[in-house]
Amino acid sequence: MATKHDLILSHIEGLQVGERISVRGIAKTLDVSEGTAYRAIKDAENAGLVSTIQRVGTIRIERKLKKNIEKLTFGEVVQIIEGDVLGGADGLEKDLNKFVIGAMTEEAMQRYITPESLMIVGNRLDAQKLALQGGAAVLITGGFDTSQEIRQLADQLELPILRTTYDTFTVASMINRAMSDQLIKKDILLVSDIYMPLEKTRYLTTTDTIKDYQELSDASQHSRYPVVNKNRRVVGIVTAKDVLGKSETQLIERVMTKDPRRVKKEMSVASVSHQMIWDGLEVMPVVADDLSLLGIVTRQDVMKAMQLVQRQPQLSDTISDQITGEIQLIEQDVEENKYATPQFTFGVTPQMVDELGTISFGVLNEVIANVTKRVMVANNRRNAWIEQVNLHYFHLIQLESQLKIQPQILELGRRSAKLDINIFIENSLVAKAIVVCQVMERRP
C-alpha cells in the first residue's frame, strides 16, 4: 500500500511542467499535514521534479539528468519572468542555451541569432519575426503585444514567443540569476555521483552466520558489510571487530551494530564526509526512503571525490567565491622570514559591509575559514573541514580597510588541527580567532 509520502510524490510528478506548488496547497488537495507535504516537496526537489526559484516560488520542472541541469527550458523562463505565452507553446520544453538583448539594428541582430537562443526585444515586429526565422524564441518586454502573423509563425516553428511586464534589464538579470543558480547546483557533488550501487555491493542478512561473514570476507577482502532483513532494509552493519572471538554458528543479528548511520543519494558528499569524520566511519549504507539498501559509500570514495572537486574549475561564483576571491597570498622570502606559515591580505569592498559600514560578521568568518583551509592545504592536509570557530572582534573593521591575516598552527594531528588566526590593520590587532578542524585521512 502506498504511503502518503509516495502519493504526494506521484501527485507532483503528474503536474504540468511550470505549475506552481506550495506546502499549503498540497496539504489541502491531498488532505495531509503540512509537515508531510513539506518533506515530500523537499524530496521532489532532490529528485529533480521541482525547483525553487527566487521571486517565483516552487514550480514543477522537467526531470533532467544531472549533467543537463545547467539548462533552463523556455517553460521555466515563463515562470521566472512571471510572463505569459503568446504563441509557440509546443516549444516550451525546449532548452534555452543563451539569451540576447536585441537593442540593435536588424542587420546587426542576425549574427547573434542562433537556434535555442532567446531574443529579448520590445514592440519591434520585424525584429521578432527575424529572431523566429533564425531559430530563436522571443521575449517581448514592457507588456507589449505582437501581431497575429507573428503568433502563427511561432506556432508553425514551435518556438515560444513570450511576454512580460518587466523591462529588459530586469528580465535579463532574473534569467541570468536562474542560470547561475543552476550551475552552482550542478557543481555540488552528491552521494548519487560516487556511491557503489547495489549490484556491486556485498551485504549480509540477519539470518546469516559468522561463518558466512568469514567466507564473504575471504572472497572480497573487505571487513565491513551492511546487514539487511528479509525486505532488504538496512538494520545493522557488521565489522571484523564484531565477530572477533565469536562462534561460527552465531547469527550476524546477534553481533552486528544495530541502527547504523545511513545516507541517501541526494545528500551532498561534503555532509557525508563530516559524518564519517565525526563518527569515525569507514563505510555507510546508502538507502531509499523506506531504508531499503541501494549501495554503500566508503571513506576512500569520499576522499577521492573531495580531491576531484578541489581540482575542478568553478562554473559559477557563489557568495563564498566572491569573498574568497579577494584574499591574496603574501609572497614571502622563507630564508629571511622565519614565519613559515602563509600570510594573506584582504580588502573590504562595499558589498562586504553591514548597515554601519563595517565588515559583515559573516564575511569575516568566511575569510577566516578560507585562510584556514589554504593553510591546511599548504601542510598537505587537503581533506580538512572546519568544526569550530571562536572569533573575537576587537575593533571595527571599516569599508576599504586593508587587512593582513597571519595564521599560526597550534596543533596538527592525523585527525584534527587547531589554528590561531590574527587579523591586523597596519600594526593593530583588530580580530583574532581560534579554529578547530577535522582532518579526514584514509585508515590503513
Side-chain angles (χ1 to χ4, degrees), residues 43-77:
D43 280 353
E45 186 170 10
N46 291 332
L49 291 173
V50 302
S51 178
T52 301
I53 301 174
Q54 188 179 25
R55 300 184 62 177
V56 175
T58 302
I59 62 171
R60 173 73 168 91
I61 62 173
E62 181 183 2
R63 187 195 294 266
K64 294 179 179 294
L65 293 174
K66 191 167 186 282
K67 65 180 181 181
N68 290 327
I69 197 172
E70 70 271 21
K71 295 183 179 180
L72 295 173
T73 66
F74 293 114
E76 290 164 358
V77 171

mmCIF file of all heavy atoms in Angstrom, residues 43-77:
data_model
loop_
_atom_site.group_PDB
_atom_site.id
_atom_site.type_symbol
_atom_site.label_atom_id
_atom_site.label_comp_id
_atom_site.label_asym_id
_atom_site.label_seq_id
_atom_site.Cartn_x
_atom_site.Cartn_y
_atom_site.Cartn_z
ATOM 1 N N ASP A 43 11.872 16.241 -0.983
ATOM 2 C CA ASP A 43 12.352 15.046 -1.675
ATOM 3 C C ASP A 43 12.135 15.174 -3.174
ATOM 4 O O ASP A 43 12.957 14.716 -3.978
ATOM 5 C CB ASP A 43 11.634 13.795 -1.146
ATOM 6 C CG ASP A 43 12.216 13.306 0.174
ATOM 7 O OD1 ASP A 43 13.257 13.865 0.588
ATOM 8 O OD2 ASP A 43 11.639 12.396 0.789
ATOM 9 N N ALA A 44 11.012 15.792 -3.576
ATOM 10 C CA ALA A 44 10.752 16.006 -5.003
ATOM 11 C C ALA A 44 11.795 16.943 -5.599
ATOM 12 O O ALA A 44 12.221 16.776 -6.747
ATOM 13 C CB ALA A 44 9.341 16.579 -5.198
ATOM 14 N N GLU A 45 12.237 17.932 -4.815
ATOM 15 C CA GLU A 45 13.286 18.845 -5.292
ATOM 16 C C GLU A 45 14.599 18.101 -5.456
ATOM 17 O O GLU A 45 15.320 18.287 -6.438
ATOM 18 C CB GLU A 45 13.442 20.010 -4.318
ATOM 19 C CG GLU A 45 14.410 21.080 -4.798
ATOM 20 C CD GLU A 45 14.369 22.327 -3.936
ATOM 21 O OE1 GLU A 45 13.732 22.286 -2.866
ATOM 22 O OE2 GLU A 45 14.975 23.329 -4.327
ATOM 23 N N ASN A 46 14.931 17.236 -4.489
ATOM 24 C CA ASN A 46 16.157 16.438 -4.593
ATOM 25 C C ASN A 46 16.110 15.497 -5.783
ATOM 26 O O ASN A 46 17.152 15.193 -6.383
ATOM 27 C CB ASN A 46 16.367 15.633 -3.300
ATOM 28 C CG ASN A 46 16.719 16.499 -2.116
ATOM 29 O OD1 ASN A 46 17.310 17.568 -2.281
ATOM 30 N ND2 ASN A 46 16.358 16.063 -0.915
ATOM 31 N N ALA A 47 14.904 15.032 -6.109
ATOM 32 C CA ALA A 47 14.749 14.096 -7.231
ATOM 33 C C ALA A 47 14.673 14.812 -8.576
ATOM 34 O O ALA A 47 14.598 14.164 -9.617
ATOM 35 C CB ALA A 47 13.498 13.249 -7.025
ATOM 36 N N GLY A 48 14.692 16.141 -8.562
ATOM 37 C CA GLY A 48 14.671 16.888 -9.815
ATOM 38 C C GLY A 48 13.289 17.089 -10.402
ATOM 39 O O GLY A 48 13.150 17.418 -11.581
ATOM 40 N N LEU A 49 12.222 16.919 -9.576
ATOM 41 C CA LEU A 49 10.861 17.099 -10.070
ATOM 42 C C LEU A 49 10.404 18.547 -9.944
ATOM 43 O O LEU A 49 9.574 19.009 -10.726
ATOM 44 C CB LEU A 49 9.887 16.205 -9.292
ATOM 45 C CG LEU A 49 10.001 14.698 -9.525
ATOM 46 C CD1 LEU A 49 9.098 13.948 -8.556
ATOM 47 C CD2 LEU A 49 9.632 14.361 -10.954
ATOM 48 N N VAL A 50 10.903 19.251 -8.941
ATOM 49 C CA VAL A 50 10.522 20.644 -8.737
ATOM 50 C C VAL A 50 11.776 21.471 -8.492
ATOM 51 O O VAL A 50 12.843 20.937 -8.181
ATOM 52 C CB VAL A 50 9.547 20.813 -7.542
ATOM 53 C CG1 VAL A 50 8.298 19.996 -7.746
ATOM 54 C CG2 VAL A 50 10.219 20.458 -6.227
ATOM 55 N N SER A 51 11.638 22.775 -8.610
ATOM 56 C CA SER A 51 12.756 23.680 -8.358
ATOM 57 C C SER A 51 12.217 24.936 -7.692
ATOM 58 O O SER A 51 11.127 25.419 -8.038
ATOM 59 C CB SER A 51 13.470 24.038 -9.661
ATOM 60 O OG SER A 51 14.533 24.946 -9.414
ATOM 61 N N THR A 52 12.962 25.454 -6.722
ATOM 62 C CA THR A 52 12.579 26.689 -6.045
ATOM 63 C C THR A 52 13.393 27.827 -6.633
ATOM 64 O O THR A 52 14.625 27.801 -6.589
ATOM 65 C CB THR A 52 12.813 26.588 -4.532
ATOM 66 O OG1 THR A 52 12.053 25.492 -4.023
ATOM 67 C CG2 THR A 52 12.390 27.863 -3.836
ATOM 68 N N ILE A 53 12.704 28.806 -7.190
ATOM 69 C CA ILE A 53 13.350 29.920 -7.886
ATOM 70 C C ILE A 53 12.991 31.220 -7.181
ATOM 71 O O ILE A 53 11.836 31.449 -6.833
ATOM 72 C CB ILE A 53 12.898 29.977 -9.365
ATOM 73 C CG1 ILE A 53 13.263 28.660 -10.072
ATOM 74 C CG2 ILE A 53 13.535 31.153 -10.088
ATOM 75 C CD1 ILE A 53 12.730 28.546 -11.480
ATOM 76 N N GLN A 54 13.995 32.047 -6.973
ATOM 77 C CA GLN A 54 13.794 33.315 -6.289
ATOM 78 C C GLN A 54 12.716 34.154 -6.968
ATOM 79 O O GLN A 54 12.673 34.266 -8.187
ATOM 80 C CB GLN A 54 15.112 34.083 -6.250
ATOM 81 C CG GLN A 54 15.068 35.333 -5.381
ATOM 82 C CD GLN A 54 16.393 36.049 -5.360
ATOM 83 O OE1 GLN A 54 17.182 35.931 -6.288
ATOM 84 N NE2 GLN A 54 16.656 36.795 -4.307
ATOM 85 N N ARG A 55 11.837 34.743 -6.169
ATOM 86 C CA ARG A 55 10.760 35.628 -6.601
ATOM 87 C C ARG A 55 9.625 34.890 -7.305
ATOM 88 O O ARG A 55 8.636 35.489 -7.672
ATOM 89 C CB ARG A 55 11.271 36.748 -7.513
ATOM 90 C CG ARG A 55 12.292 37.647 -6.879
ATOM 91 C CD ARG A 55 12.670 38.766 -7.799
ATOM 92 N NE ARG A 55 11.521 39.619 -8.111
ATOM 93 C CZ ARG A 55 11.599 40.723 -8.854
ATOM 94 N NH1 ARG A 55 12.767 41.097 -9.354
ATOM 95 N NH2 ARG A 55 10.533 41.454 -9.101
ATOM 96 N N VAL A 56 9.809 33.599 -7.521
ATOM 97 C CA VAL A 56 8.773 32.829 -8.216
ATOM 98 C C VAL A 56 8.143 31.803 -7.279
ATOM 99 O O VAL A 56 6.934 31.681 -7.189
ATOM 100 C CB VAL A 56 9.357 32.118 -9.460
ATOM 101 C CG1 VAL A 56 8.307 31.229 -10.106
ATOM 102 C CG2 VAL A 56 9.879 33.140 -10.449
ATOM 103 N N GLY A 57 8.968 31.083 -6.544
ATOM 104 C CA GLY A 57 8.492 30.029 -5.668
ATOM 105 C C GLY A 57 8.886 28.664 -6.198
ATOM 106 O O GLY A 57 9.802 28.526 -7.015
ATOM 107 N N THR A 58 8.170 27.639 -5.753
ATOM 108 C CA THR A 58 8.465 26.262 -6.145
ATOM 109 C C THR A 58 7.593 25.886 -7.332
ATOM 110 O O THR A 58 6.368 26.049 -7.285
ATOM 111 C CB THR A 58 8.206 25.303 -4.979
ATOM 112 O OG1 THR A 58 9.016 25.693 -3.870
ATOM 113 C CG2 THR A 58 8.569 23.868 -5.369
ATOM 114 N N ILE A 59 8.216 25.396 -8.389
ATOM 115 C CA ILE A 59 7.471 25.030 -9.596
ATOM 116 C C ILE A 59 7.852 23.629 -10.044
ATOM 117 O O ILE A 59 8.942 23.135 -9.744
ATOM 118 C CB ILE A 59 7.731 26.015 -10.760
ATOM 119 C CG1 ILE A 59 9.217 25.990 -11.163
ATOM 120 C CG2 ILE A 59 7.285 27.414 -10.397
ATOM 121 C CD1 ILE A 59 9.510 26.764 -12.430
ATOM 122 N N ARG A 60 6.929 22.999 -10.729
ATOM 123 C CA ARG A 60 7.180 21.683 -11.334
ATOM 124 C C ARG A 60 8.078 21.879 -12.547
ATOM 125 O O ARG A 60 7.836 22.740 -13.392
ATOM 126 C CB ARG A 60 5.852 21.056 -11.762
ATOM 127 C CG ARG A 60 5.976 19.753 -12.560
ATOM 128 C CD ARG A 60 6.400 18.595 -11.691
ATOM 129 N NE ARG A 60 6.236 17.339 -12.403
ATOM 130 C CZ ARG A 60 7.176 16.760 -13.151
ATOM 131 N NH1 ARG A 60 8.352 17.323 -13.274
ATOM 132 N NH2 ARG A 60 6.924 15.621 -13.760
ATOM 133 N N ILE A 61 9.158 21.122 -12.616
ATOM 134 C CA ILE A 61 10.068 21.209 -13.747
ATOM 135 C C ILE A 61 10.197 19.853 -14.405
ATOM 136 O O ILE A 61 9.804 18.816 -13.854
ATOM 137 C CB ILE A 61 11.464 21.707 -13.318
ATOM 138 C CG1 ILE A 61 12.105 20.718 -12.333
ATOM 139 C CG2 ILE A 61 11.400 23.103 -12.732
ATOM 140 C CD1 ILE A 61 13.555 21.040 -11.998
ATOM 141 N N GLU A 62 10.756 19.857 -15.586
ATOM 142 C CA GLU A 62 11.002 18.607 -16.298
ATOM 143 C C GLU A 62 12.184 17.908 -15.659
ATOM 144 O O GLU A 62 13.223 18.512 -15.415
ATOM 145 C CB GLU A 62 11.312 18.896 -17.766
ATOM 146 C CG GLU A 62 11.567 17.649 -18.597
ATOM 147 C CD GLU A 62 11.938 17.993 -20.028
ATOM 148 O OE1 GLU A 62 12.023 19.192 -20.341
ATOM 149 O OE2 GLU A 62 12.151 17.061 -20.803
ATOM 150 N N ARG A 63 12.007 16.634 -15.329
ATOM 151 C CA ARG A 63 13.111 15.883 -14.727
ATOM 152 C C ARG A 63 14.248 15.768 -15.746
ATOM 153 O O ARG A 63 14.041 15.368 -16.887
ATOM 154 C CB ARG A 63 12.668 14.487 -14.314
ATOM 155 C CG ARG A 63 13.734 13.724 -13.526
ATOM 156 C CD ARG A 63 13.396 12.258 -13.462
ATOM 157 N NE ARG A 63 12.197 11.995 -12.708
ATOM 158 C CZ ARG A 63 12.188 11.685 -11.421
ATOM 159 N NH1 ARG A 63 13.310 11.641 -10.749
ATOM 160 N NH2 ARG A 63 11.050 11.437 -10.806
ATOM 161 N N LYS A 64 15.440 16.107 -15.312
ATOM 162 C CA LYS A 64 16.587 16.081 -16.215
ATOM 163 C C LYS A 64 17.718 15.302 -15.593
ATOM 164 O O LYS A 64 17.813 15.164 -14.378
ATOM 165 C CB LYS A 64 17.091 17.506 -16.505
ATOM 166 C CG LYS A 64 16.093 18.357 -17.274
ATOM 167 C CD LYS A 64 16.654 19.741 -17.486
ATOM 168 C CE LYS A 64 15.688 20.587 -18.275
ATOM 169 N NZ LYS A 64 15.490 20.130 -19.617
ATOM 170 N N LEU A 65 18.601 14.794 -16.435
ATOM 171 C CA LEU A 65 19.830 14.218 -15.933
ATOM 172 C C LEU A 65 20.673 15.321 -15.334
ATOM 173 O O LEU A 65 20.647 16.459 -15.763
ATOM 174 C CB LEU A 65 20.610 13.532 -17.063
ATOM 175 C CG LEU A 65 19.940 12.295 -17.658
ATOM 176 C CD1 LEU A 65 20.751 11.809 -18.852
ATOM 177 C CD2 LEU A 65 19.781 11.195 -16.637
ATOM 178 N N LYS A 66 21.480 14.988 -14.330
ATOM 179 C CA LYS A 66 22.256 16.000 -13.632
ATOM 180 C C LYS A 66 23.191 16.737 -14.562
ATOM 181 O O LYS A 66 23.460 17.909 -14.404
ATOM 182 C CB LYS A 66 23.054 15.332 -12.505
ATOM 183 C CG LYS A 66 23.701 16.305 -11.547
ATOM 184 C CD LYS A 66 24.186 15.569 -10.332
ATOM 185 C CE LYS A 66 24.706 16.552 -9.299
ATOM 186 N NZ LYS A 66 26.022 17.033 -9.611
ATOM 187 N N LYS A 67 23.706 16.088 -15.597
ATOM 188 C CA LYS A 67 24.662 16.736 -16.483
ATOM 189 C C LYS A 67 24.013 17.858 -17.283
ATOM 190 O O LYS A 67 24.706 18.699 -17.851
ATOM 191 C CB LYS A 67 25.286 15.713 -17.428
ATOM 192 C CG LYS A 67 24.287 15.081 -18.404
ATOM 193 C CD LYS A 67 24.973 14.075 -19.300
ATOM 194 C CE LYS A 67 24.008 13.453 -20.301
ATOM 195 N NZ LYS A 67 24.655 12.460 -21.160
ATOM 196 N N ASN A 68 22.663 17.872 -17.381
ATOM 197 C CA ASN A 68 21.985 18.913 -18.135
ATOM 198 C C ASN A 68 21.312 19.951 -17.248
ATOM 199 O O ASN A 68 20.549 20.777 -17.723
ATOM 200 C CB ASN A 68 20.916 18.294 -19.048
ATOM 201 C CG ASN A 68 21.542 17.508 -20.180
ATOM 202 O OD1 ASN A 68 22.603 17.850 -20.663
ATOM 203 N ND2 ASN A 68 20.880 16.434 -20.579
ATOM 204 N N ILE A 69 21.589 19.911 -15.944
ATOM 205 C CA ILE A 69 20.862 20.778 -15.028
ATOM 206 C C ILE A 69 21.178 22.247 -15.246
ATOM 207 O O ILE A 69 20.458 23.108 -14.796
ATOM 208 C CB ILE A 69 21.163 20.369 -13.568
ATOM 209 C CG1 ILE A 69 20.119 20.971 -12.626
ATOM 210 C CG2 ILE A 69 22.546 20.792 -13.146
ATOM 211 C CD1 ILE A 69 20.218 20.468 -11.217
ATOM 212 N N GLU A 70 22.292 22.553 -15.942
ATOM 213 C CA GLU A 70 22.636 23.956 -16.135
ATOM 214 C C GLU A 70 21.732 24.643 -17.147
ATOM 215 O O GLU A 70 21.795 25.855 -17.316
ATOM 216 C CB GLU A 70 24.094 24.106 -16.563
ATOM 217 C CG GLU A 70 24.416 23.630 -17.968
ATOM 218 C CD GLU A 70 24.801 22.173 -18.015
ATOM 219 O OE1 GLU A 70 24.451 21.441 -17.081
ATOM 220 O OE2 GLU A 70 25.474 21.769 -18.975
ATOM 221 N N LYS A 71 20.874 23.903 -17.850
ATOM 222 C CA LYS A 71 19.999 24.495 -18.859
ATOM 223 C C LYS A 71 18.599 24.715 -18.299
ATOM 224 O O LYS A 71 18.080 23.912 -17.542
ATOM 225 C CB LYS A 71 19.927 23.586 -20.093
ATOM 226 C CG LYS A 71 21.254 23.454 -20.834
ATOM 227 C CD LYS A 71 21.093 22.601 -22.078
ATOM 228 C CE LYS A 71 22.413 22.486 -22.838
ATOM 229 N NZ LYS A 71 22.282 21.650 -24.050
ATOM 230 N N LEU A 72 18.001 25.825 -18.703
ATOM 231 C CA LEU A 72 16.610 26.108 -18.389
ATOM 232 C C LEU A 72 15.764 25.844 -19.629
ATOM 233 O O LEU A 72 16.226 26.013 -20.752
ATOM 234 C CB LEU A 72 16.437 27.573 -17.977
ATOM 235 C CG LEU A 72 17.123 28.040 -16.702
ATOM 236 C CD1 LEU A 72 16.973 29.540 -16.564
ATOM 237 C CD2 LEU A 72 16.555 27.336 -15.493
ATOM 238 N N THR A 73 14.518 25.462 -19.416
ATOM 239 C CA THR A 73 13.592 25.364 -20.539
ATOM 240 C C THR A 73 12.878 26.705 -20.684
ATOM 241 O O THR A 73 12.827 27.515 -19.747
ATOM 242 C CB THR A 73 12.560 24.249 -20.316
ATOM 243 O OG1 THR A 73 11.726 24.609 -19.213
ATOM 244 C CG2 THR A 73 13.238 22.917 -20.053
ATOM 245 N N PHE A 74 12.283 26.920 -21.869
ATOM 246 C CA PHE A 74 11.523 28.143 -22.071
ATOM 247 C C PHE A 74 10.305 28.187 -21.145
ATOM 248 O O PHE A 74 9.873 29.265 -20.721
ATOM 249 C CB PHE A 74 11.088 28.261 -23.528
ATOM 250 C CG PHE A 74 12.236 28.469 -24.474
ATOM 251 C CD1 PHE A 74 12.577 27.515 -25.420
ATOM 252 C CD2 PHE A 74 13.005 29.625 -24.403
ATOM 253 C CE1 PHE A 74 13.642 27.707 -26.283
ATOM 254 C CE2 PHE A 74 14.071 29.823 -25.259
ATOM 255 C CZ PHE A 74 14.398 28.864 -26.212
ATOM 256 N N GLY A 75 9.767 27.009 -20.810
ATOM 257 C CA GLY A 75 8.653 26.956 -19.874
ATOM 258 C C GLY A 75 9.041 27.461 -18.502
ATOM 259 O O GLY A 75 8.262 28.136 -17.821
ATOM 260 N N GLU A 76 10.260 27.129 -18.063
ATOM 261 C CA GLU A 76 10.747 27.617 -16.779
ATOM 262 C C GLU A 76 11.004 29.117 -16.825
ATOM 263 O O GLU A 76 10.795 29.827 -15.830
ATOM 264 C CB GLU A 76 12.017 26.857 -16.390
ATOM 265 C CG GLU A 76 11.748 25.402 -16.032
ATOM 266 C CD GLU A 76 13.001 24.552 -16.035
ATOM 267 O OE1 GLU A 76 14.091 25.064 -16.353
ATOM 268 O OE2 GLU A 76 12.880 23.360 -15.728
ATOM 269 N N VAL A 77 11.439 29.605 -17.989
ATOM 270 C CA VAL A 77 11.657 31.048 -18.141
ATOM 271 C C VAL A 77 10.344 31.799 -17.943
ATOM 272 O O VAL A 77 10.320 32.876 -17.326
ATOM 273 C CB VAL A 77 12.264 31.368 -19.529
ATOM 274 C CG1 VAL A 77 12.277 32.873 -19.778
ATOM 275 C CG2 VAL A 77 13.679 30.813 -19.623
#
